[in-house]
């Protein structure tokens, strides 16, 4: 039979069942008629002949059924019939169906959300050819253990000349030049890059050309490459843009090319760069050539450029690591002054983009896996309970000749229907949740804004639905199909679950409680970590503080700059409602530029490697008062000191401890030290202030020194008497009043900056807390369902007990004691699992051990409370059993 | 007429049907008759069970059916062997021969 004919035959047997049945009927009738005729010929009476023929033919209906099965559509027909039956069964028990469908919907919804996020964030293509070969080169300092993301130009050139691991290497530097386009001035996000960057990233211009080495020489004409986006928005995508000039800073640059559309580099959390701002990630407005500047940049120790390279094919990360280590060792010997203790290390581009996010997402993925598991267990339990009630139905079906396989199939159909409906609902929930996450999620998780529910997510949900159905449907159905028809029918209506079923249910409940406990502990640990982090004494008080990020057009001299800042400070500080105002080069937690210098106390010469390293920040005016950083000893700067050439400095407690170990802070005042870049001039310590957490809230305070200077690219910090938000419009007006010389980038409450740095942690914590809470809810419903069911099954038993003199409290105790036993086992297993999986979570914790006994105890209590309250109503019902009614109960 | 009847070995019915249909196409009753006659009624086909077998063979594509006129002008469904059926008959025939040989060896050795 050709495939086409076979297909037609199958279609026919599916849709033209009556016709086929009629044909079969006719065929068999003919057979019997012919046989009857044969029999008559051999001498039988007509009646007798017909009976003999029928006898010889066998049981007609059964044979017809067997024939239908052979038609190849028996299975499909049965499936359709089972599906209809399943739909009827679900409609008949709306309560059960609703709980089951919602449970599946939640389990699958939660998993789809996390799958969307994981797929969109961790598995998003980075947009570069062979992105796995892109490697950042970093410096690891063996002494300070502080990874340094920047290399000096000399480092870079030596590396590019010597390395055999990289096809190409590029150095870059973020700048934010101001573009004077005639009618207005605006800040651009720019990268200064070596011409090799295009080769490293393997990109080609859509128009014109990219940089060539000649563009990077000091004598070259100033050229610029613009982004596709800027080209479209500001040059209306016209090819005539080539050759036009753009005025950046004080120079004119000629546009020579346009970058490809959607080019996002750097990505994610890019390294902060040396010029005072974090590299803005994502699409850059322009690229400038990183010119080979003579002078200080030449110095080997001036490390300010992130360096990225493309590995040669066939070179692994480990091989590159080995080569870099060898080179670093050689340079360490050759240039001990600048390279002591430094080694160079490769760091994967993808790892850099996603590294920190990954651990958190894995925690979430494990958590939602647990949620789904709970849902499956819950459903299996509900189905088991319901299966006992339907034992008679299956017994009847078995007695009527249904095969075991058919019953399993019918039950699986019910599970499948539940799962698919639940899955569809879950997907809808996930779509809503993903939208909320996209809008409300933390800004610093890379690519979170692009996460969406797409076909792949839908497919994942569908597959998960089927898997769920298999998981929670298969075992109960297997057990139910095993019913002994005779026993079930004989035992009348008062059916009780066998011991093995009760054991199963108890085991499943205990397992469920274990998983709930693990989730609750994880959520509790994260929540407590978050609380501790928020209550941490960070050294400053962000409440009621407004942070203003601004820049000024460079003025002829530094003193002119300072005078402009002083004028601004004077106006801001005079505003009603302003308590104090100050200037700082780098606000805490913004990751902006600070520099590190080795310090040496006068009269205590130490070899360079033993000198303490101090982070430096420029401040002016009442910065400490505005930020609320307490003075421990000495005094603050005086404004007139800005103009005097006195070298005075304020240090924090850590710096005091590092510079003058063992000395009292009061004894430190007046002492002098010098820093590496300027060993001739010594600095007098005039004050010691409290330590502050400047890099990340989680990180210990650095040793820090504060210089007095209102530098360019500064931030104003304003302490207000009332609410920070209320002051923002007024402050904005004052700054604007200084005209186009001052460019206002951003103005917001300091508390926004603080909460921004913990946004990702908050996101993870909230997700996990939400999952844990709902899981506890689902598990409670499950416990309630199973206990209530078992109580109903034992009504007769309780009646007898009460009739024989058991007390109300006795029966209550009987039921609750069982719940307590199961919960104890569950919590014990959960404790074991929690401690076993502690390592997964520990990276996300702050100031808290994953085996914190108080927290584990609290969560255990919570689980007990939930389990007891879920079993209390059924227990009450058991204890209130009327013996008269129960004993008559059939 | 031989009164001692032998039960058909499992699976051999298919082979017998294919064998009978090799000569000419037939309706169900004809197949049952032919098997009976050819074996001097030793092999009795439980006539009902013939039909599920026919449907199965047809589903597997070894036989095909069409409606035609029977000897006494009744509408009857005629089964005929397909090409695949012819090949299948050879396969089964060979298998059968091997089985017979094996059984004979066992019976003779004992």
């Amino acid at each position: 039979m050709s495939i086409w004919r076979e297909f037609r035959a199958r279609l026919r047997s599916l849709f033209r069942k009556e016709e086929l049945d009629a044909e079969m009927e006719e065929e068999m009738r003919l057979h019997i008629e012919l046989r009857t005729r044969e029999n008559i010929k051999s001498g039988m009476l007509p009646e007798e002949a017909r009976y003999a023929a029928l006898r010889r033919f066998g049981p007609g209906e059964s044979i017809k059924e067997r024939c239908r099965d052979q038609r190849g559509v028996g299975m499909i027909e049965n499936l359709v019939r089972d599906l209809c039956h399943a739909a009827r069964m679900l409609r008949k028990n709306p309560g059960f169906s609703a709980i089951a469908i919602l449970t599946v919907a939640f389990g699958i919804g939660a998993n789809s959300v996390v799958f969307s996020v994981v797929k969109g964030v961790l598995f998003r293509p980075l947009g570069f050819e062979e992105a796995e070969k892109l490697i950042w080169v970093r410096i690891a300092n063996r002494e300070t253990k502080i990874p340094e993301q920047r290399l000096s130009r000399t480092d870079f050139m030596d590396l590019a000349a010597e390395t055999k691991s990289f096809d190409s290497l590029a150095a870059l530097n973020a700048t934010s030049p101001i573009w004077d386009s005639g009618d207005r001035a605006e800040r651009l996000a720019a990268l200064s890059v070596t011409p090799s960057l295009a080769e490293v990233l393997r990109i080609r211009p859509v128009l014109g050309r990219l940089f060539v080495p000649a563009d990077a020489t000091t004598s070259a004409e100033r050229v610029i490459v613009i982004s596709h986006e800027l080209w479209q928005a500001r040059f209306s995508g016209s090819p005539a843009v080539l050759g036009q000039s753009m005025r950046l800073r004080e120079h004119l640059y000629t546009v020579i090319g346009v970058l490809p559309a959607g080019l996002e580099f750097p990505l994610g959390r890019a390294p902060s760069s040396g010029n005072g701002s974090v590299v803005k990630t994502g699409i850059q407005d322009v690229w400038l050539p990183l010119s080979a500047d003579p002078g200080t940049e030449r110095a080997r120790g001036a490390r300010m450029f992130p360096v990225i390279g493309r590995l040669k094919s066939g070179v692994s990360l480990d091989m590159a690591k080995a080569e870099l280590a060898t080179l670093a060792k050689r340079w360490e010997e050759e240039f001990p002054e600048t390279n002591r203790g430094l080694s160079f290390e490769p760091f994967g581009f993808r790892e850099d983009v996603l590294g920190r996010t990954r651990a958190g997402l894995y925690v979430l993925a494990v958590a939602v896996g647990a949620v789904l598991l709970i849902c499956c267990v819950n459903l299996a339990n509900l189905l088991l309970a319901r299966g006992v009630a339907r034992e008679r139905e299956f017994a009847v079906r078995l007695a009527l000749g249904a095969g075991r396989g058919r019953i399993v199939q019918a039950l699986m159909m019910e599970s499948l229907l539940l799962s698919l409906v639940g899955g569809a609902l879950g997907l809808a929930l996930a779509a809503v949740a993903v939208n909320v996450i996209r809008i409300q999620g933390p800004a610093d998780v890379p690519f979170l804004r692009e996460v969406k529910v797409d076909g792949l997510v839908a497919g994942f949900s569908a597959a998960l639905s089927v898997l769920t159905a298999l998981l929670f449907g298969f075992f109960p159905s297997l057990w139910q199909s095993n019913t002994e028809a005779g026993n079930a029918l004989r035992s009348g209506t008062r059916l009780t679950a066998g011991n093995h079923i009760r054991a199963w249910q108890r085991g499943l409940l205990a397992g469920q409680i274990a998983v709930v406990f693990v989730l609750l502990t994880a959520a509790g640990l994260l929540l407590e970590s978050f609380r501790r982090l928020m209550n941490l004494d960070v050294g400053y008080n962000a409440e009621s503080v407004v942070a203003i990020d601004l820049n000024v057009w460079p003025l002829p001299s530094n003193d002119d700059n300072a005078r402009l800042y002083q004028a601004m400070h004077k106006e801001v500080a005079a505003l009603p409602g302003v308590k104090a105002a100050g200037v700082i080069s780098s606000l805490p937690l913004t990751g902006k530029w600070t520099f590190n210098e080795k310090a040496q106390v006068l009269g205590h010469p130490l070899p360079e490697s033993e000198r303490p390293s101090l982070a430096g920040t420029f401040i002016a005016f009442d910065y400490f008062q505005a930020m609320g950083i307490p003075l421990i000893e000495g005094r603050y700067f005086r404004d007139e000191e800005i103009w005097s050439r006195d070298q005075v400095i304020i240090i924090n407690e850590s710096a005091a401890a590092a510079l003058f170990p063992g000395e009292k802070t009061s004894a430190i005042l007046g002492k002098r030290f010098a820093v590496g870049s300027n060993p001739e001039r010594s600095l007098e310590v005039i004050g010691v202030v409290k330590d502050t957490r400047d890099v990340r809230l989680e990180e210990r305070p650095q040793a820090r020194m504060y210089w007095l200077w209102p530098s360019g690219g500064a931030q104003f910090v304003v302490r207000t008497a009332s609410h920070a938000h209320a002051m923002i419009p007024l402050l904005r007006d004052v700054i604007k009043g200084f005209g186009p010389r001052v460019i206002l980038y951003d103005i917001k409450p300091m508390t926004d900056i603080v909460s921004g740095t913990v946004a990702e942690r908050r996101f993870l914590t909230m997700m996990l807390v939400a999952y844990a809470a709902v899981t506890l809810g689902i598990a409670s419903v499950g416990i309630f369902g199973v206990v209530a069911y078992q109580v109903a099954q034992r009504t007769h038993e309780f009646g007898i007990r009460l009739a024989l003199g058991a007390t109300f409290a006795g029966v209550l105790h009987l039921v609750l004691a069982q719940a307590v036993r199961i919960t104890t086992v569950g919590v014990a297993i959960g404790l074991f699992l929690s401690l076993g999986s502690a390592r997964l979570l520990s990276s996300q914790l702050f100031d808290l051990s994953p085996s914190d006994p108080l927290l584990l105890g609290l969560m255990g209590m919570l689980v007990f409370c939930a389990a007891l309250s879920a079993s209390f109503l059924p227990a009450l019902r058991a204890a209130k059993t009327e013996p008269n009614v129960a004993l008559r109960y059939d | 007429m031989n009164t001692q009847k032998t039960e058909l070995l499992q699976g051999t019915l298919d082979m017998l049907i294919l064998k009978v249909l090799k000569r000419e196409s037939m309706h169900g009753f004809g197949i049952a008759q032919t098997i009976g006659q050819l074996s001097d009624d030793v092999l009795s086909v439980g006539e009902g069970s013939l039909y599920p077998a026919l449907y199965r063979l047809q589903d597997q594509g070894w036989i095909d059916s069409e409606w035609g006129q029977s000897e006494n002008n009744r509408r009857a469904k005629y089964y005929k062997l397909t090409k695949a059926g012819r090949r299948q008959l050879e396969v089964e025939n060979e298998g059968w021969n091997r089985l017979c040989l094996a059984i004979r060896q066992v019976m003779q050795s004992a």
Side-chain angles (χ1 to χ4, degrees), chain B residues 35-48:
Chain B
I35 292 175
Q37 279 164 9
L38 289 178
S39 66
D40 291 338
D41 275 351
V42 173
L43 298 176
S44 77
V45 174
E47 293 186 359

Side-chain angles (χ1 to χ4, degrees), chain A residues 646-817:
Chain A
D646 291 342
Q647 293 295 312
V648 288
I649 199 148
I650 294 176
I651 57 177
N652 70 2
E653 294 167 290
S654 296
L659 285 170
F660 311 101
E663 294 188 41
K664 274 196 194 158
T665 41
S666 53
I668 294 170
L669 297 180
K671 296 212 169 179
R672 290 180 166 269
F673 67 92
V675 292
S677 59
N678 199 349
E680 279 74 45
R681 259 195 337 199
S682 67
L683 303 156
E684 182 192 345
V685 179
I686 58 156
V688 178
V689 292
K690 202 172 154 88
D691 280 348
T692 53
R693 295 195 177 224
D694 295 325
V695 184
R696 286 174 62 212
L697 287 183
E698 289 90 337
E699 273 177 40
R700 304 223 144 271
Q702 295 170 298
R704 182 171 291 273
M705 55 185 166
Y706 296 93
W707 302 65
L708 177 59
W709 188 250
S711 70
Q715 284 137 332
F716 260 92
V717 180
V718 181
R719 174 161 296 276
T720 64
S722 55
H723 198 62
H725 272 291
M727 285 296 291
I728 288 179
L730 190 57
L731 286 168
R732 193 192 304 271
D733 287 347
V734 169
I735 302 294
K736 292 267 182 201
F738 282 86
R741 274 183 308 167
V742 177
I743 301 121
L744 178 65
Y745 296 146
D746 201 4
I747 176 165
K748 62 186 167 193
M750 184 67 202
T751 45
D752 281 11
I753 294 176
V754 176
S755 62
T757 62
V758 291
E760 187 174 331
R761 176 184 285 276
R762 180 190 290 126
F763 174 65
L764 177 67
T765 306
M766 291 306 141
M767 293 271 279
L768 208 59
V769 167
Y771 283 151
V774 181
T775 313
L776 184 67
I778 290 177
S780 298
V781 170
I783 294 170
F784 172 81
V786 170
V787 176
Y789 173 74
Q790 292 197 347
V791 164
Q793 292 295 310
R794 291 166 72 189
T795 306
H796 197 68
E797 177 200 329
F798 293 131
I800 294 175
R801 282 174 186 270
L802 287 164
L804 291 180
T807 58
F808 176 85
V811 173
L812 201 64
H813 179 258
L814 190 73
V815 178
L816 290 183

Side-chain angles (χ1 to χ4, degrees), chain A residues 76 97 372-373 406 418 499 651 658 662 812:
Chain A
I76 299 174
S97 310
L372 189 64
L373 201 63
R406 286 283 290 111
L418 276 178
N499 276 337
I651 57 177
L812 201 64

